[in-house]
Amino acid sequence: MSFLRKQASESYLVGVLLAIAGGYLDVYTYVCRGGVFANAQTGNIVLLGINVADGNWEKLGGYTWPILAFMAGILVAELVKREFRHETVIHWRQIVLVLEFAVLWTIAFIPSGAHDEAVNVAVSFVCSMQVESFRTFHGSSAYATTMCTGNLRSATEQFFKYNVTKDKQAIKKSLQYYGIILFFIVGAIVGTIITRIFMEKSALVACVLLLAVIVIMFIPAGDGQRE
C-alpha cells in the first residue's frame, strides 16, 4: 500500500487518524469534563491567566494540573522511546498508544462530573505522549496531531514557497498540513455530536481510532526503519 511504503508510524494515514482523535479528545474534555482542553495547553494557560487576574484561586488547579500532566507525558514518552527503541516485536510508539488506549478506556466508565479534574489530567498526559511520539511524516515534515497552530503555520509557509518557486513538493506538503487540520476539525465536529449524546462513554470512540493505528503499525513497511 502506497501510504505505508515507509514505516507505518510516520505514514499520512496514521497522522490522519491521530488528528481525528486529537480533535475528538479536545472536544470530549471541554464538553463533558468541565471546559478544559486536553491538548491545547495554550488555551489552558490563557484560562489560567484569566482566573489569576480575576482572583478565582479555587479554579487554578483545574488548569494547572493538566499543564503539568502534559509536561510529564513528554518525559514518559521519551523514556519509553529510550527503553524500547530497539524492540523488534512491537514498535515503541505502539506501546505509547496502548497506554493511551488503556487510559481512555478507563475514563469512559468514570461518570461525567465525578473526578473530572483527574480525568483531564489523565487525558492531557496521554495526549502529550501522542504528540511527542508522532511528530513527522516519513522523517521529514514535522507536524502535530493534537493541536493546529504549528500545522497552520507550516501549511501556509509551504503554500507561499510554492507560489514563489513552483516547487511541487512544497504544495504537496502544504496540502498535507491543511489535510491534517481538516481532519482535526472533523474529529472536533464528530466529537461534539457524539459526546453530547453519550457523554463520558464517548471516549470509547477515540479508543477505536487508536486501536486502528496500533493494527496499522503491524503492517510491514517497504523501506522504512524503526526509529
Side-chain angles (χ1 to χ4, degrees):
M1 284 179 275
S2 61
F3 51 78
L4 293 176
R5 64 184 180 275
K6 296 184 180 181
Q7 70 168 331
S9 64
E10 295 187 357
S11 70
Y12 193 70
L13 176 61
V14 164
V16 164
L17 292 174
L18 292 179
I20 295 173
Y24 188 100
L25 289 172
D26 245 353
V27 165
Y28 172 78
T29 55
Y30 191 85
V31 170
C32 79
R33 297 296 184 179
V36 174
F37 293 111
N39 302 326
Q41 297 309 315
T42 300
N44 287 334
I45 290 171
V46 170
L47 291 172
L48 176 67
I50 291 172
N51 281 281
V52 168
D54 290 342
N56 298 323
W57 310 113
E58 72 283 356
K59 294 183 179 181
L60 299 189
Y63 300 109
T64 302
W65 288 114
I67 294 169
L68 295 176
F70 195 92
M71 295 167 61
I74 300 296
L75 298 177
V76 172
E78 285 298 312
L79 179 62
V80 171
K81 179 180 179 180
R82 188 183 70 177
E83 295 298 322
F84 298 96
R85 186 169 186 170
H86 302 294
E87 176 63 49
T88 57
V89 177
I90 186 171
H91 197 288
W92 68 269
R93 291 186 177 100
Q94 286 172 301
I95 297 174
V96 168
L97 292 177
V98 168
L99 292 173
E100 185 175 1
F101 178 96
V103 168
L104 295 179
W105 182 275
T106 300
I107 68 172
F109 298 96
I110 300 176
S112 179
H115 311 295
D116 279 351
E117 284 195 11
V119 168
N120 289 329
V121 166
V123 175
S124 293
F125 176 77
V126 295
C127 284
S128 71
M129 292 180 67
Q130 176 183 310
V131 76
E132 179 69 6
S133 301
F134 296 86
R135 300 171 59 181
T136 59
F137 298 130
H138 300 315
S140 56
S141 302
Y143 79 115
T145 60
T146 63
M147 57 196 74
C148 291
T149 304
N151 294 336
L152 186 59
R153 181 200 63 80
S154 296
T156 308
E157 179 185 64
Q158 291 298 321
F159 180 73
F160 177 82
K161 180 179 179 181
Y162 170 73
N163 280 278
V164 172
T165 66
K166 303 305 177 184
D167 181 0
K168 292 183 178 179
Q169 206 52 34
I171 193 62
K172 178 182 178 181
K173 289 182 178 180
S174 178
L175 293 175
Q176 284 181 330
Y177 282 120
Y178 282 129
I180 290 295
I181 295 169
L182 174 62
F183 282 108
F184 188 93
I185 295 171
V186 169
I189 294 170
V190 173
T192 300
I193 296 169
I194 294 178
T195 302
R196 285 176 175 170
I197 297 172
F198 298 103
M199 294 304 285
E200 67 275 355
K201 294 293 192 300
S202 59
L204 296 174
V205 174
C207 290
V208 173
L209 292 169
L210 296 179
L211 184 61
V213 174
I214 292 170
V215 172
I216 288 171
M217 288 179 63
F218 279 116
I219 299 174
D223 59 356
Q225 297 180 359
R226 299 171 68 87
E227 296 183 354

